[in-house]
Amino acid sequence: MKKFEQDKASTINFLDTRLTEIKSSILGDVYAKLTDMIQVNERLSIAQDQRIDGLETKITSKLEPLVIDIERKLSVFSEKVEKMEEKKLLARDIQKHSFEEMFHSLNSSVMFEMNQRFTRADEKLTELDKHREDTIENLNKTITDLVKPLAQDVRESSLRIGKQIEQLKNESQVRGQEMTNFLSRAADSLKKIEIKLLSDCSKASRLTLTTLSSGQYYFSTVETDWYKAKAFCDRFGMQLASIETEEERKTLFASAPIKNNYYWLSGSDIGHIPGHFYWSTGHRVDDTWWSSGQPNDFGESKETCIELHTNGGRLIDYKCNDDDYFICEVSPDCKYFNNLVQQ
């Protein structure tokens, strides 16, 4: 259940991260387009200012020759007036008439030129304004076209994520119920195992057990065949002893109360190829533990079992229906359950 909750949290975090990345990407694209639009407007404004400055410069360059020409004509006219002092009245009339005519002509030329220049300037400015408006409109359309599919994708992703989250919730409820049922069955099974182990360990405790470094054992005081020995160990919640280590082998033969004799162990070739010996734990018998010349009593239609010879602690194989002493081994789990009982 904990693993499932972690998977669920990881999935939701991934989906939130993905949605955040999509939003960040959209905002980044929109910001870039707005930045481009602002830069275009700035370039248009700069170009407009430059064109106005150019018009002023051109107008000034056109007016300067006219002013110079006027000054020259005035100078020439003054010289003529000075030469005609004797005809003052006529000179005054001529001067007045010439000056007014010249000023009127000059004024008309200048005003016409100025009007033409400013008319063209207004037309240029109008054209620039229209171009700028068209550019802004195109940028807005481009941004809209760009954002629209992204917004649609965000909406579809949001709906899909919502459905996935809802599906995860439903699945979590179903799996939560399945997990609850599984844990309940597991608890029942463990309870049954616990009861059985407590029962088996309680049965074994009624016998006289020998505690060694490798575990607890029961050394029989009567002789019987291998099958009855196995049944006896089973009845008291134990099993015939299996030797797993060299230390255990040495400890068992040294602790056996009856010396120079034989004790049945769990090993046999029953259910296997004749001569291939295994302990009841499923482990293969170590070949270095056999007595010299052993094993030697196996073959077709024979069931051969293993005995521990207490004179030297070596193993031999013998007919399973022969009567000998035997060693039962208490389950290692009984140590834990015996502690529970004592508590």
Side-chain angles (χ1 to χ4, degrees):
M1 186 67 181
K2 183 177 180 181
K3 178 66 168 58
F4 174 76
E5 291 295 334
Q6 290 175 348
D7 292 342
K8 173 184 174 182
S10 299
T11 303
I12 293 174
N13 289 336
F14 170 77
L15 295 175
D16 290 339
T17 302
R18 178 59 183 156
L19 185 57
T20 301
E21 291 175 353
I22 293 173
K23 290 180 179 179
S24 299
S25 177
I26 292 172
L27 292 176
D29 291 339
V30 171
Y31 178 78
K33 291 297 181 180
L34 290 176
T35 302
D36 292 341
M37 184 179 71
I38 292 171
Q39 292 176 350
V40 169
N41 286 337
E42 290 178 352
R43 289 196 294 270
L44 290 174
S45 298
I46 293 171
Q48 181 178 347
D49 293 340
Q50 290 175 347
R51 287 187 177 89
I52 292 173
D53 292 340
L55 288 175
E56 291 178 352
T57 302
K58 289 180 180 180
I59 292 170
T60 301
S61 64
K62 291 289 183 179
L63 289 177
E64 283 181 355
L66 292 174
V67 172
I68 294 172
D69 186 59
I70 291 171
E71 291 177 350
R72 185 182 58 78
K73 289 181 178 181
L74 287 175
S75 176
V76 172
F77 181 74
S78 297
E79 291 177 358
K80 289 181 179 180
V81 170
E82 289 177 358
K83 292 179 180 180
M84 299 175 65
E85 275 187 34
E86 64 280 5
K87 302 177 179 178
K88 291 181 181 180
L89 292 176
L90 180 59
R92 275 194 211 97
D93 292 338
I94 293 173
Q95 181 182 11
K96 182 178 179 182
H97 177 74
S98 299
F99 184 77
E100 289 177 354
E101 182 180 354
M102 183 174 54
F103 181 78
H104 178 72
S105 175
L106 177 62
N107 184 53
S108 298
S109 300
V110 171
M111 292 303 295
F112 178 78
E113 184 66 24
M114 289 288 290
N115 184 57
Q116 291 293 321
R117 296 292 183 179
F118 280 109
T119 298
R120 286 194 292 271
D122 288 338
E123 290 175 354
K124 289 291 185 181
L125 290 175
T126 302
E127 183 180 350
L128 289 174
D129 289 338
K130 186 177 184 307
H131 178 70
R132 181 175 61 182
E133 291 174 358
D134 292 341
T135 301
I136 293 173
E137 184 178 354
N138 291 334
L139 287 174
N140 290 333
K141 186 177 183 303
T142 301
I143 292 172
T144 301
D145 293 340
L146 176 65
V147 171
K148 186 175 180 180
L150 293 176
Q152 181 66 27
D153 182 59
V154 170
R155 284 195 296 271
E156 292 176 356
S157 298
S158 298
L159 291 174
R160 185 169 59 256
I161 290 170
K163 290 180 180 179
Q164 291 175 350
I165 292 174
E166 187 65 27
Q167 184 179 357
L168 286 173
K169 288 181 180 178
N170 295 333
E171 290 178 357
S172 67
Q173 293 176 355
V174 173
R175 292 183 181 179
Q177 185 61 43
E178 292 177 352
M179 183 62 68
T180 300
N181 296 336
F182 170 77
L183 292 176
S184 178
R185 292 194 299 270
D188 292 340
S189 299
L190 289 175
K191 187 65 178 177
K192 292 178 182 178
I193 294 173
E194 179 182 358
I195 292 172
K196 184 178 186 306
L197 285 173
L198 284 172
S199 176
D200 291 345
C201 296
S202 176
K203 292 177 184 178
S205 64
R206 297 201 298 267
L207 300 174
T208 301
L209 302 177
T210 300
T211 301
L212 304 176
S213 60
S214 54
Q216 286 186 305
Y217 302 89
Y218 171 75
F219 292 89
S220 74
T221 57
V222 296
E223 295 178 306
T224 186
D225 62 44
W226 185 87
Y227 303 103
K228 292 178 181 177
K230 180 179 182 301
F232 178 90
C233 294
D234 292 340
R235 185 165 69 251
F236 283 92
M238 299 181 288
Q239 57 273 338
L240 280 172
S242 300
I243 298 177
E244 302 293 340
T245 65
E246 177 70 10
E247 179 185 0
E248 185 178 14
R249 183 185 69 81
K250 291 180 180 180
T251 301
L252 282 179
F253 92 81
S255 302
I258 301 175
K259 304 301 181 183
N260 198 24
N261 217 313
Y262 299 93
Y263 284 83
W264 288 120
L265 300 175
S266 73
S268 73
D269 64 355
I270 298 174
H272 302 285
I273 298 173
H276 291 246
F277 293 89
Y278 292 85
W279 302 112
S280 61
T281 59
H283 296 143
R284 183 78 179 266
V285 176
D286 192 325
D287 290 337
T288 63
W289 294 342
W290 294 103
S291 293
S292 177
Q294 297 292 322
N296 66 350
D297 198 29
F298 59 87
E300 289 293 333
S301 301
K302 288 186 178 181
E303 291 183 341
T304 307
C305 300
I306 294 179
E307 292 183 312
L308 174 68
H309 189 199
T310 57
N311 184 14
R314 293 290 172 178
L315 305 180
I316 69 167
D317 68 317
Y318 207 66
K319 296 182 292 295
C320 299
N321 56 5
D322 189 58
D323 290 340
D324 271 312
Y325 299 102
F326 59 91
I327 305 173
C328 295
E329 183 177 4
V330 178
S331 171
D333 294 329
C334 284
K335 181 178 181 181
Y336 168 74
F337 286 102
N338 286 336
N339 291 335
L340 282 179
V341 173
Q342 293 174 3
Q343 292 175 1

